[in-house]
Amino acid sequence: MRATCWILAGFYLLFCCKAEEGLNFPTYDGKDRVIDLNEKNYKQALKKYDMLCLLFHEPVSSDKVSQKQFQMTEMVLELAAQVLEPRSIGFGMVDSKKDAKLAKKLGLVEEGSLYVFKEERLIEFDGELATDVLVEFLLDLLEDPVEIINNKLELQAFDQIDEEIKLIGYFKGEDSEHYKAFEEAAEHFQPYIKFFATFDKGVAKKLGLKMNEVDFYEPFMDEPVHIPDKPYTEEELVEFVKEHKRATLRKLRPEDMFETWEDDMEGIHIVAFAEEDDPDGFEFLEILKQVARDNTDNPDLSIVWIDPDDFPLLITYWEKTFKIDLFRPQIGVVNVTDVSSM
Protein backbone atom coordinates (compact mmCIF):
# COMPACT_ATOMS: atom_id res chain seq x y z
CA MET A 1 0.00 0.00 0.00
CA ARG A 2 2.83 2.39 0.94
CA ALA A 3 4.61 1.55 -2.33
CA THR A 4 1.45 2.38 -4.26
CA CYS A 5 1.19 5.73 -2.43
CA TRP A 6 4.81 6.58 -3.29
CA ILE A 7 4.20 5.72 -6.94
CA LEU A 8 1.09 7.92 -7.00
CA ALA A 9 3.00 10.71 -5.28
CA GLY A 10 5.75 10.39 -7.85
CA PHE A 11 3.26 10.72 -10.68
CA TYR A 12 1.72 13.74 -8.91
CA LEU A 13 5.09 15.50 -8.58
CA LEU A 14 5.97 14.70 -12.18
CA PHE A 15 2.62 16.07 -13.35
CA CYS A 16 3.03 19.25 -11.28
CA CYS A 17 6.52 19.80 -12.65
CA LYS A 18 5.44 19.28 -16.24
CA ALA A 19 2.37 21.47 -15.77
CA GLU A 20 4.48 24.30 -14.37
CA GLU A 21 6.91 24.03 -17.29
CA GLY A 22 4.01 23.95 -19.73
CA LEU A 23 2.72 27.30 -18.47
CA ASN A 24 5.97 29.08 -19.33
CA PHE A 25 5.97 31.32 -22.38
CA PRO A 26 8.41 30.18 -25.09
CA THR A 27 11.67 32.10 -25.37
CA TYR A 28 14.01 32.23 -28.34
CA ASP A 29 16.42 29.30 -28.20
CA GLY A 30 19.11 31.00 -30.31
CA LYS A 31 18.72 28.78 -33.37
CA ASP A 32 18.29 30.69 -36.66
CA ARG A 33 15.32 29.38 -38.62
CA VAL A 34 14.37 32.36 -40.80
CA ILE A 35 15.82 31.95 -44.32
CA ASP A 36 17.25 34.72 -46.49
CA LEU A 37 15.40 33.74 -49.65
CA ASN A 38 16.96 34.16 -53.09
CA GLU A 39 16.58 32.73 -56.59
CA LYS A 40 18.85 29.79 -55.74
CA ASN A 41 17.00 28.48 -52.68
CA TYR A 42 13.35 29.57 -53.00
CA LYS A 43 12.14 26.48 -54.89
CA GLN A 44 13.66 24.20 -52.27
CA ALA A 45 11.99 26.19 -49.48
CA LEU A 46 8.59 26.05 -51.19
CA LYS A 47 8.88 22.26 -51.51
CA LYS A 48 10.15 21.73 -47.97
CA TYR A 49 7.28 23.36 -46.08
CA ASP A 50 3.51 22.95 -46.17
CA MET A 51 3.32 26.73 -45.75
CA LEU A 52 6.00 29.36 -46.26
CA CYS A 53 5.71 32.79 -44.63
CA LEU A 54 7.79 35.57 -46.23
CA LEU A 55 8.56 39.11 -45.08
CA PHE A 56 9.05 41.39 -48.10
CA HIS A 57 11.19 44.22 -46.73
CA GLU A 58 13.02 47.26 -47.99
CA PRO A 59 16.83 47.30 -47.65
CA VAL A 60 17.85 47.88 -44.05
CA SER A 61 19.30 51.35 -43.48
CA SER A 62 22.62 51.81 -41.73
CA ASP A 63 21.20 53.95 -38.91
CA LYS A 64 20.81 52.28 -35.52
CA VAL A 65 17.07 52.92 -35.18
CA SER A 66 16.25 51.17 -38.47
CA GLN A 67 18.54 48.27 -37.65
CA LYS A 68 16.99 47.87 -34.21
CA GLN A 69 13.46 47.87 -35.66
CA PHE A 70 14.49 45.26 -38.23
CA GLN A 71 16.04 43.08 -35.51
CA MET A 72 12.80 43.25 -33.51
CA THR A 73 10.78 42.21 -36.57
CA GLU A 74 13.22 39.39 -37.26
CA MET A 75 12.85 38.20 -33.65
CA VAL A 76 9.04 38.03 -34.07
CA LEU A 77 9.57 35.75 -37.08
CA GLU A 78 12.25 33.67 -35.37
CA LEU A 79 10.06 32.96 -32.35
CA ALA A 80 7.06 32.14 -34.57
CA ALA A 81 9.29 29.82 -36.64
CA GLN A 82 10.47 28.09 -33.46
CA VAL A 83 6.94 27.56 -32.16
CA LEU A 84 5.58 26.35 -35.51
CA GLU A 85 8.56 24.22 -36.57
CA PRO A 86 6.71 20.93 -35.81
CA ARG A 87 3.86 22.09 -38.09
CA SER A 88 6.04 22.30 -41.21
CA ILE A 89 5.69 26.08 -41.51
CA GLY A 90 8.78 27.89 -42.77
CA PHE A 91 9.77 31.54 -42.56
CA GLY A 92 11.91 33.68 -44.82
CA MET A 93 12.84 37.21 -45.87
CA VAL A 94 13.04 38.79 -49.31
CA ASP A 95 14.97 42.04 -49.82
CA SER A 96 13.05 44.31 -52.21
CA LYS A 97 16.25 45.63 -53.83
CA LYS A 98 18.66 42.70 -53.69
CA ASP A 99 16.01 40.12 -54.65
CA ALA A 100 13.75 42.27 -56.85
CA LYS A 101 13.52 39.62 -59.60
CA LEU A 102 12.49 36.94 -57.12
CA ALA A 103 9.89 39.25 -55.56
CA LYS A 104 8.34 39.88 -58.96
CA LYS A 105 8.34 36.16 -59.73
CA LEU A 106 6.60 35.36 -56.43
CA GLY A 107 4.08 38.19 -56.68
CA LEU A 108 5.37 40.16 -53.68
CA VAL A 109 4.30 43.77 -54.12
CA GLU A 110 4.10 45.84 -50.95
CA GLU A 111 7.25 46.45 -48.89
CA GLY A 112 6.81 45.67 -45.21
CA SER A 113 4.12 43.08 -45.92
CA LEU A 114 4.05 39.47 -44.84
CA TYR A 115 2.97 36.88 -47.43
CA VAL A 116 2.03 33.25 -46.91
CA PHE A 117 2.34 30.55 -49.58
CA LYS A 118 -0.06 27.68 -49.08
CA GLU A 119 -0.28 25.20 -51.96
CA GLU A 120 -1.24 27.34 -54.99
CA ARG A 121 -2.43 30.32 -52.94
CA LEU A 122 -0.72 33.54 -51.90
CA ILE A 123 -2.25 35.12 -48.77
CA GLU A 124 -1.26 38.52 -47.41
CA PHE A 125 -1.18 38.93 -43.63
CA ASP A 126 -2.86 42.23 -42.69
CA GLY A 127 -2.57 41.96 -38.94
CA GLU A 128 -0.45 43.18 -36.07
CA LEU A 129 3.10 41.86 -36.44
CA ALA A 130 3.27 40.16 -33.06
CA THR A 131 4.29 36.55 -32.52
CA ASP A 132 1.04 35.43 -30.86
CA VAL A 133 -1.15 37.08 -33.52
CA LEU A 134 0.92 35.66 -36.38
CA VAL A 135 1.02 32.14 -34.90
CA GLU A 136 -2.76 32.10 -34.40
CA PHE A 137 -3.28 33.34 -37.96
CA LEU A 138 -1.08 30.60 -39.42
CA LEU A 139 -2.67 27.88 -37.30
CA ASP A 140 -6.09 29.01 -38.58
CA LEU A 141 -4.73 28.68 -42.12
CA LEU A 142 -3.82 25.05 -41.42
CA GLU A 143 -7.45 24.25 -40.64
CA ASP A 144 -9.96 23.12 -43.26
CA PRO A 145 -11.52 26.15 -44.99
CA VAL A 146 -15.05 24.96 -44.08
CA GLU A 147 -16.17 23.86 -40.62
CA ILE A 148 -18.94 21.24 -40.56
CA ILE A 149 -21.85 21.59 -38.13
CA ASN A 150 -23.37 18.23 -37.22
CA ASN A 151 -25.56 18.77 -34.14
CA LYS A 152 -27.39 21.21 -31.86
CA LEU A 153 -24.38 21.93 -29.64
CA GLU A 154 -22.23 22.88 -32.61
CA LEU A 155 -25.11 25.00 -33.89
CA GLN A 156 -25.23 26.82 -30.54
CA ALA A 157 -21.51 27.57 -30.88
CA PHE A 158 -22.15 28.89 -34.40
CA ASP A 159 -24.89 31.18 -33.07
CA GLN A 160 -22.48 32.67 -30.53
CA ILE A 161 -20.26 34.06 -33.30
CA ASP A 162 -21.56 37.57 -33.89
CA GLU A 163 -18.45 39.75 -34.29
CA GLU A 164 -17.33 38.26 -37.61
CA ILE A 165 -18.70 37.67 -41.08
CA LYS A 166 -19.80 34.06 -41.46
CA LEU A 167 -21.46 31.98 -44.14
CA ILE A 168 -23.28 28.67 -43.79
CA GLY A 169 -24.63 26.36 -46.47
CA TYR A 170 -26.73 23.20 -46.52
CA PHE A 171 -25.54 20.46 -48.87
CA LYS A 172 -26.15 16.78 -49.54
CA GLY A 173 -22.64 15.75 -48.57
CA GLU A 174 -18.92 16.34 -49.01
CA ASP A 175 -19.04 14.78 -52.48
CA SER A 176 -21.66 17.24 -53.69
CA GLU A 177 -20.44 19.47 -56.52
CA HIS A 178 -22.23 22.39 -54.87
CA TYR A 179 -20.40 21.80 -51.59
CA LYS A 180 -17.08 21.64 -53.47
CA ALA A 181 -17.83 25.02 -55.07
CA PHE A 182 -18.59 26.40 -51.59
CA GLU A 183 -15.34 24.95 -50.23
CA GLU A 184 -13.29 26.43 -53.07
CA ALA A 185 -14.91 29.82 -52.47
CA ALA A 186 -13.99 29.56 -48.77
CA GLU A 187 -10.31 29.19 -49.66
CA HIS A 188 -10.32 32.71 -51.15
CA PHE A 189 -11.13 34.25 -47.75
CA GLN A 190 -9.50 31.91 -45.26
CA PRO A 191 -8.86 32.65 -42.42
CA TYR A 192 -10.42 36.13 -42.40
CA ILE A 193 -14.01 35.03 -43.11
CA LYS A 194 -15.52 31.89 -41.60
CA PHE A 195 -17.39 29.38 -43.74
CA PHE A 196 -19.62 26.68 -42.24
CA ALA A 197 -21.67 23.88 -43.77
CA THR A 198 -24.13 21.25 -42.62
CA PHE A 199 -25.34 17.99 -44.12
CA ASP A 200 -27.92 17.49 -41.37
CA LYS A 201 -31.63 18.07 -42.14
CA GLY A 202 -32.43 19.03 -38.53
CA VAL A 203 -29.69 21.64 -38.37
CA ALA A 204 -30.70 23.02 -41.77
CA LYS A 205 -34.33 23.26 -40.66
CA LYS A 206 -33.38 25.29 -37.57
CA LEU A 207 -31.35 27.62 -39.78
CA GLY A 208 -34.15 27.91 -42.35
CA LEU A 209 -31.89 26.60 -45.11
CA LYS A 210 -32.97 24.68 -48.18
CA MET A 211 -30.76 22.25 -50.05
CA ASN A 212 -27.75 23.98 -51.70
CA GLU A 213 -28.70 27.32 -50.15
CA VAL A 214 -26.16 29.60 -48.44
CA ASP A 215 -26.80 32.31 -45.85
CA PHE A 216 -24.52 35.31 -45.34
CA TYR A 217 -24.31 36.78 -41.82
CA GLU A 218 -23.10 40.35 -41.37
CA PRO A 219 -21.53 41.03 -37.94
CA PHE A 220 -23.97 42.01 -35.19
CA MET A 221 -27.06 41.53 -37.39
CA ASP A 222 -30.01 39.50 -36.12
CA GLU A 223 -30.98 37.96 -39.45
CA PRO A 224 -28.85 36.56 -42.30
CA VAL A 225 -29.09 37.41 -45.98
CA HIS A 226 -30.08 34.54 -48.30
CA ILE A 227 -27.65 34.55 -51.22
CA PRO A 228 -29.91 34.52 -54.31
CA ASP A 229 -29.92 32.22 -57.35
CA LYS A 230 -28.88 28.90 -55.81
CA PRO A 231 -27.08 26.65 -56.61
CA TYR A 232 -23.94 28.75 -56.95
CA THR A 233 -20.61 28.54 -58.69
CA GLU A 234 -17.37 29.31 -56.87
CA GLU A 235 -17.09 32.59 -58.79
CA GLU A 236 -20.62 33.70 -57.85
CA LEU A 237 -19.99 33.08 -54.14
CA VAL A 238 -16.65 34.91 -54.23
CA GLU A 239 -18.22 37.88 -56.02
CA PHE A 240 -21.09 38.08 -53.50
CA VAL A 241 -18.76 38.02 -50.49
CA LYS A 242 -16.46 40.67 -51.95
CA GLU A 243 -19.45 42.89 -52.65
CA HIS A 244 -20.94 42.52 -49.15
CA LYS A 245 -17.93 42.02 -46.88
CA ARG A 246 -17.79 45.61 -45.62
CA ALA A 247 -20.06 45.44 -42.62
CA THR A 248 -21.98 48.41 -41.23
CA LEU A 249 -20.33 47.81 -37.84
CA ARG A 250 -16.93 46.14 -37.72
CA LYS A 251 -14.68 45.25 -34.82
CA LEU A 252 -11.00 46.05 -35.20
CA ARG A 253 -9.13 42.78 -34.72
CA PRO A 254 -5.36 42.23 -34.33
CA GLU A 255 -5.35 39.64 -37.13
CA ASP A 256 -6.70 42.00 -39.84
CA MET A 257 -6.42 45.47 -38.31
CA PHE A 258 -4.64 47.07 -41.28
CA GLU A 259 -7.14 45.83 -43.85
CA THR A 260 -10.01 47.18 -41.72
CA TRP A 261 -8.29 50.50 -41.07
CA GLU A 262 -7.44 51.04 -44.75
CA ASP A 263 -10.97 50.10 -45.88
CA ASP A 264 -12.40 53.54 -45.18
CA MET A 265 -15.27 55.60 -46.57
CA GLU A 266 -13.41 58.09 -48.79
CA GLY A 267 -10.74 58.57 -46.13
CA ILE A 268 -13.20 58.75 -43.23
CA HIS A 269 -13.96 56.34 -40.38
CA ILE A 270 -16.60 56.63 -37.69
CA VAL A 271 -14.65 55.15 -34.80
CA ALA A 272 -16.04 54.04 -31.45
CA PHE A 273 -13.93 53.02 -28.46
CA ALA A 274 -15.75 50.85 -25.92
CA GLU A 275 -14.71 48.10 -23.50
CA GLU A 276 -17.18 45.24 -23.90
CA ASP A 277 -16.55 43.97 -20.35
CA ASP A 278 -17.22 47.39 -18.83
CA PRO A 279 -20.93 48.14 -17.98
CA ASP A 280 -20.83 51.57 -19.66
CA GLY A 281 -18.95 50.16 -22.63
CA PHE A 282 -21.41 47.27 -22.99
CA GLU A 283 -24.40 49.64 -22.93
CA PHE A 284 -22.73 51.94 -25.48
CA LEU A 285 -21.93 48.97 -27.72
CA GLU A 286 -25.55 47.79 -27.65
CA ILE A 287 -26.59 51.24 -28.91
CA LEU A 288 -24.01 51.00 -31.71
CA LYS A 289 -25.33 47.58 -32.71
CA GLN A 290 -28.88 48.90 -32.90
CA VAL A 291 -27.76 51.87 -35.01
CA ALA A 292 -25.99 49.43 -37.35
CA ARG A 293 -29.10 47.20 -37.60
CA ASP A 294 -31.35 50.17 -38.33
CA ASN A 295 -28.97 51.40 -41.06
CA THR A 296 -27.64 48.14 -42.47
CA ASP A 297 -28.86 49.04 -45.98
CA ASN A 298 -26.98 52.36 -46.00
CA PRO A 299 -23.85 51.81 -48.13
CA ASP A 300 -22.32 55.08 -46.90
CA LEU A 301 -22.27 54.14 -43.22
CA SER A 302 -19.28 52.29 -41.79
CA ILE A 303 -18.49 52.17 -38.07
CA VAL A 304 -15.30 50.67 -36.63
CA TRP A 305 -15.52 49.49 -33.02
CA ILE A 306 -12.27 49.26 -31.06
CA ASP A 307 -12.14 47.47 -27.73
CA PRO A 308 -9.08 48.99 -25.99
CA ASP A 309 -8.59 45.73 -24.06
CA ASP A 310 -7.56 44.07 -27.36
CA PHE A 311 -4.74 46.59 -27.91
CA PRO A 312 -3.22 47.39 -24.47
CA LEU A 313 0.03 48.73 -25.92
CA LEU A 314 -1.85 51.29 -28.04
CA ILE A 315 -4.08 52.78 -25.33
CA THR A 316 -1.65 55.53 -24.29
CA TYR A 317 -0.88 56.33 -27.94
CA TRP A 318 -4.56 56.64 -28.85
CA GLU A 319 -5.33 58.76 -25.79
CA LYS A 320 -2.48 61.14 -26.61
CA THR A 321 -3.17 61.26 -30.37
CA PHE A 322 -6.93 61.77 -30.15
CA LYS A 323 -6.88 63.61 -26.78
CA ILE A 324 -9.49 61.30 -25.26
CA ASP A 325 -9.97 59.24 -22.10
CA LEU A 326 -10.37 55.54 -22.91
CA PHE A 327 -11.63 54.70 -19.42
CA ARG A 328 -15.06 55.62 -20.80
CA PRO A 329 -16.71 55.08 -24.22
CA GLN A 330 -15.74 57.50 -26.99
CA ILE A 331 -16.95 58.09 -30.53
CA GLY A 332 -15.71 60.34 -33.29
CA VAL A 333 -14.82 60.71 -36.94
CA VAL A 334 -11.27 59.94 -38.06
CA ASN A 335 -9.67 61.02 -41.30
CA VAL A 336 -7.07 58.33 -42.06
CA THR A 337 -4.89 60.92 -43.81
CA ASP A 338 -4.85 62.97 -40.59
CA VAL A 339 -4.83 60.59 -37.62
CA SER A 340 -5.11 63.42 -35.11
CA SER A 341 -8.72 64.05 -36.12
CA MET A 342 -11.36 62.70 -33.73
Side-chain angles (χ1 to χ4, degrees), residues 107-338:
L108 312 184
V109 178
E110 187 176 352
E111 290 180 342
S113 290
L114 208 61
Y115 294 91
V116 182
F117 289 84
K118 180 186 178 185
E119 297 171 351
E120 302 297 321
R121 298 170 57 209
L122 176 62
I123 303 114
E124 185 174 357
F125 173 68
D126 277 316
E128 178 186 3
L129 192 54
T131 300
D132 57 338
V133 178
L134 180 56
V135 167
E136 185 176 358
F137 174 86
L138 294 171
L139 289 175
D140 284 345
L141 261 181
L142 283 178
E143 300 288 335
D144 292 332
V146 179
E147 186 173 339
I148 307 301
I149 296 179
N150 296 305
N151 53 54
K152 291 180 181 179
L153 284 177
E154 292 173 352
L155 182 57
Q156 288 176 8
F158 170 84
D159 289 335
Q160 294 300 313
I161 302 171
D162 70 343
E163 296 178 355
E164 306 172 47
I165 293 174
K166 59 184 180 181
L167 290 87
I168 185 164
Y170 173 40
F171 306 98
K172 188 175 182 180
E174 290 188 2
D175 295 330
S176 162
E177 61 176 310
H178 307 302
Y179 171 73
K180 291 186 183 299
F182 183 75
E183 188 177 38
E184 288 166 359
E187 291 179 351
H188 289 263
F189 303 100
Q190 188 190 15
Y192 294 115
I193 296 178
K194 297 186 178 299
F195 280 64
F196 298 85
T198 187
F199 311 130
D200 184 276
K201 288 182 180 180
V203 172
K205 185 176 181 180
K206 286 185 175 295
L207 290 166
L209 283 172
K210 298 177 181 178
M211 181 65 70
N212 299 324
E213 190 171 58
V214 175
D215 274 359
F216 177 93
Y217 287 77
E218 184 180 329
F220 309 111
M221 296 296 132
D222 293 326
E223 299 296 330
V225 175
H226 289 301
I227 299 180
D229 304 324
K230 68 175 181 73
Y232 325 94
T233 64
E234 172 191 350
E235 292 76 17
E236 288 170 337
L237 286 168
V238 169
E239 184 180 353
F240 183 92
V241 174
K242 285 182 176 179
E243 186 179 342
H244 294 81
K245 71 175 184 175
R246 172 188 276 161
T248 308
L249 173 61
R250 294 173 286 174
K251 184 180 182 183
L252 194 71
R253 304 181 300 174
E255 61 266 33
D256 59 359
M257 59 183 293
F258 295 112
E259 181 187 26
T260 301
W261 196 250
E262 291 166 2
D263 183 23
D264 53 79
M265 303 295 288
E266 297 182 355
I268 299 297
H269 277 303
I270 295 176
V271 177
F273 290 93
E275 295 181 39
E276 188 173 21
D277 293 335
D278 176 76
D280 290 338
F282 178 82
E283 183 179 359
F284 183 70
L285 183 57
E286 290 302 304
I287 295 171
L288 280 181
K289 291 178 182 179
Q290 192 57 53
V291 169
R293 291 177 188 129
D294 292 342
N295 295 274
T296 185
D297 294 326
N298 184 351
D300 297 321
L301 179 64
S302 179
I303 307 169
V304 175
W305 163 42
I306 301 176
D307 190 331
D309 287 344
D310 293 337
F311 303 93
L313 297 181
L314 288 173
I315 291 176
T316 302
Y317 168 77
W318 280 330
E319 288 184 326
K320 183 179 179 181
T321 300
F322 299 128
K323 298 179 177 59
I324 55 177
D325 176 12
L326 291 183
F327 280 101
R328 56 192 181 91
Q330 303 282 350
I331 190 167
V333 177
V334 173
N335 186 333
V336 295
T337 61
D338 178 15

